Amino acid sequence: MGCNFCRNFEHHNILGLFIIVVLVAAMVECSSLNYTKYNKQVSSLRFNRIIKHLDKINKRPVLTIESPDGDIIDCVQKRKQLAFDHPLLKNHKIQKAPKEMPRGITNNVKKDNNNNNNEDEDGSSHEMVGEGERGALKRQEWQMWHLNGTVCPKGTVPIRRSRVDDVFRAKSLYHYGKKQLRTPFSRRIHSDAPDVISGNGHEHAIAYTRSSEEIYGAKASINVWDPSIQAMNEFSLSQIWILSGSFDGPDLNSIEAGWQVSPELYGDNRPRLFTYWTSDSYQQTGCYNLLCSGFIQTNSKIAIGAAISPVSSFAGSQYDITILIWKDPKAGNWWMSFGDNTLVGYWPAELFTHLADHATMVEWGGEVVNMRTNGQHTETQMGSGHFARESFGKSSYFRNLQIVDTDNSLMNVQGISTLAENTNCYDIKSSYSNEWGTYFYYGGPGNNPQCP
């Protein structure tokens, strides 16, 4: 059984005509480089449920692209993407571009990118900050699948294909693509601090801002690394949170985007661009990337969930990505742009309750899961794996923090607060400069003599 069989296998229901163990072994044999291998015996009932689910979320592609890192990228017609399976979006008309961009954006907005002759319109604004010259920027091919040289046709969007071994790594089919339920609901660490997951093994090093006025978006440039992960069911991420609703109840709304290393979700240790959303405190709604209906992608060259390359190196070249999330004041949808104002897509306003109006808080920073394997704190790294005090080239950073105000204007953040649950494991240190505006270093190695 060759890999062609595997690709066909993933797009058609298997009706139990073969022995399940043989089929799974064939999948493993064809699994691409750097994917975690599983030769797992499962019941025919569970196996057929998995295939049925994959048939639902993997829409039939116009073109398939094999990435050098083992990913399969499907070019799917925009109107046929999974988002429109959502009952609230059945009659939703795709918004090609926001009706109004935030004031203060200086560069031209790049909408759907199908002009293959213009390298500046490929969504690849992956910035390199040279040591000692933080303003020096350089364009890179920033996603691994771009190295194939093939692009998705006009009118399609690139979607990372989900496979059987991806689901096997999840706790269950239900949990595939979802964050672990916050149980109990987020606890406050300080009376004036934001709500973060202090239970369930989640630890943070974050900056946050509360505004007396309504918030309509946030922006930052995020340093990209490839932190080591100790256990399969742990992860390390760096992201922006856009939040509204009750922090200690079941109705928290959250929009999130950044980079993440998650062996359980992706099958490797590469940093990947990711998104997330929920409208009920991570209970039933929302998911990572495009693994459930909701987020509508409009860009033809950015694959959410695909690996980012190159990444920063210790005492070497530093790479970061710029993410902006804001609410279109005209249509009400929450848009995401990447790099040099390249539009990626949007979360329709229909998905939310509180965020259908505005946000009340923004958070920037890192998060890890600490499963305390063998009764010790995890060695999973946050950011670069080095503490904030080691600074540029060694510590991970967020720079040029901004929010979108009630006038739809990008405003530099003034006076952020910071929070880390255990500074002996991961910490954070904020500052300000004319070049980087409000910024902070953060991260850490996890387990060490001071963090047992």
Side-chain angles (χ1 to χ4, degrees):
M1 297 182 180
C3 288
N4 286 333
F5 169 79
C6 291
R7 288 190 287 271
N8 292 331
F9 169 78
E10 292 173 12
H11 277 285
H12 301 283
N13 285 328
I14 300 299
L15 301 177
L17 299 178
F18 300 95
I19 299 174
I20 298 306
V21 178
V22 174
L23 290 175
V24 175
M27 289 294 300
V28 172
E29 179 182 339
C30 294
S31 293
S32 301
L33 185 64
N34 291 326
Y35 273 80
T36 304
K37 305 293 191 290
Y38 277 84
N39 193 341
K40 187 173 182 179
Q41 183 175 356
V42 296
S43 69
S44 59
L45 178 61
R46 184 190 177 201
F47 193 75
N48 286 333
R49 285 176 176 171
I50 291 173
I51 298 303
K52 183 177 180 180
H53 183 71
L54 292 177
D55 279 345
K56 178 181 179 181
I57 65 176
N58 289 325
K59 301 303 182 182
R60 187 170 296 279
V62 173
L63 176 70
T64 293
I65 301 171
E66 295 191 18
S67 173
D69 65 349
D71 280 359
I72 295 178
I73 305 298
D74 289 327
C75 303
V76 176
Q77 291 181 3
K78 286 183 182 180
R79 183 65 209 184
K80 293 184 178 180
Q81 60 183 293
L82 182 60
F84 297 103
D85 287 0
H86 197 290
L88 296 176
L89 303 178
K90 290 294 185 182
N91 299 315
H92 182 90
K93 183 178 180 181
I94 296 179
Q95 187 180 3
K96 294 182 179 180
K99 296 181 181 297
E100 187 175 325
M101 295 291 295
R103 297 179 180 88
I105 291 180
T106 57
N107 297 312
N108 294 329
V109 177
K110 298 174 179 61
K111 301 178 183 179
D112 186 58
N113 305 304
N114 292 107
N115 182 358
N116 300 334
N117 295 320
N118 188 341
E119 292 181 356
D120 286 345
E121 294 193 356
D122 64 356
S124 63
S125 183
H126 183 197
E127 299 173 338
M128 180 180 78
V129 185
E131 184 176 7
E133 47 180 0
R134 296 181 181 180
L137 305 179
K138 179 180 178 181
R139 290 191 182 279
Q140 299 287 328
E141 290 294 336
W142 71 274
Q143 284 196 315
M144 293 288 289
W145 70 281
H146 291 161
L147 300 176
N148 178 286
T150 306
V151 298
C152 283
K154 185 175 182 179
T156 68
V157 292
I159 298 176
R160 181 182 183 271
R161 184 186 299 179
S162 294
R163 294 183 274 192
V164 172
D165 53 344
D166 294 327
V167 181
F168 280 165
R169 290 190 302 270
K171 182 178 179 181
S172 68
L173 180 59
Y174 173 79
H175 289 91
Y176 175 56
K178 294 180 178 293
K179 287 190 176 181
Q180 294 296 311
L181 177 64
R182 293 187 178 192
T183 52
F185 293 120
S186 307
R187 310 170 196 167
R188 294 184 183 277
I189 297 179
H190 306 292
S191 60
D192 61 342
D195 285 271
V196 294
I197 308 174
S198 57
N200 254 1
H202 291 246
E203 298 186 20
H204 303 78
I206 63 170
Y208 63 96
T209 181
R210 291 183 185 271
S211 174
S212 58
E213 297 184 348
E214 299 165 349
I215 299 173
Y216 292 88
K219 183 179 182 181
S221 294
I222 309 173
N223 196 201
V224 182
W225 294 81
D226 55 351
S228 65
I229 312 298
Q230 180 176 347
M232 172 65 67
N233 56 350
E234 296 180 338
F235 66 66
S236 180
L237 60 76
S238 298
Q239 68 171 54
I240 301 173
W241 288 262
I242 308 288
L243 299 160
S244 190
S246 174
F247 290 108
D248 55 0
D251 65 342
L252 179 67
N253 286 203
S254 181
I255 291 174
E256 305 165 22
W259 63 262
Q260 174 188 45
V261 177
S262 175
E264 181 179 276
L265 186 59
Y266 304 107
D268 60 25
N269 290 310
R270 292 188 171 92
R272 294 168 177 272
L273 176 69
F274 85 96
T275 61
Y276 201 95
W277 70 274
T278 182
S279 61
D280 63 355
S281 298
Y282 306 90
Q283 295 181 95
Q284 302 292 329
T285 63
C287 61
Y288 281 110
N289 307 329
L290 306 178
L291 297 179
C292 67
S293 54
F295 184 86
I296 297 175
Q297 180 154 342
T298 60
N299 191 281
S300 65
K301 292 189 177 179
I302 295 176
I304 299 173
I308 300 172
S309 179
V311 300
S312 301
S313 59
F314 187 80
S317 297
Q318 301 299 298
Y319 296 89
D320 59 35
I321 57 175
T322 299
I323 291 177
L324 165 64
I325 302 169
W326 85 100
K327 186 178 178 64
D328 181 349
K330 303 291 186 181
N333 301 318
W334 287 89
W335 276 86
M336 173 182 168
S337 75
F338 178 89
D340 194 9
N341 302 326
T342 298
L343 299 176
V344 178
Y346 62 94
W347 294 267
E350 295 95 316
L351 299 175
F352 302 104
T353 53
H354 298 287
L355 281 177
D357 188 9
H358 64 273
T360 57
M361 176 180 286
V362 174
E363 299 172 7
W364 301 263
E367 177 181 346
V368 301
V369 172
N370 170 27
M371 299 306 295
R372 294 196 64 84
T373 303
N374 300 323
Q376 294 184 321
H377 192 286
T378 183
E379 295 177 0
T380 290
Q381 299 174 333
M382 180 188 294
S384 67
H386 292 263
F387 288 113
R389 61 178 176 269
E390 297 188 54
S391 194
F392 183 75
K394 300 177 181 179
S395 302
S396 191
Y397 62 80
F398 277 63
R399 63 181 174 91
N400 299 113
L401 273 58
Q402 295 180 298
I403 61 171
V404 180
D405 67 9
T406 55
D407 192 37
N408 194 37
S409 297
L410 270 172
M411 304 291 294
N412 293 329
V413 174
Q414 303 290 338
I416 59 172
S417 300
T418 59
L419 170 69
E421 290 98 333
N422 190 340
T423 56
N424 289 326
C425 308
Y426 314 104
D427 68 354
I428 182 170
K429 180 180 180 181
S430 65
S431 190
Y432 178 88
S433 73
N434 291 333
E435 188 175 13
W436 276 20
T438 297
Y439 68 94
F440 61 86
Y441 292 105
Y442 70 103
N447 181 269
N448 68 79
Q450 285 71 47
C451 174

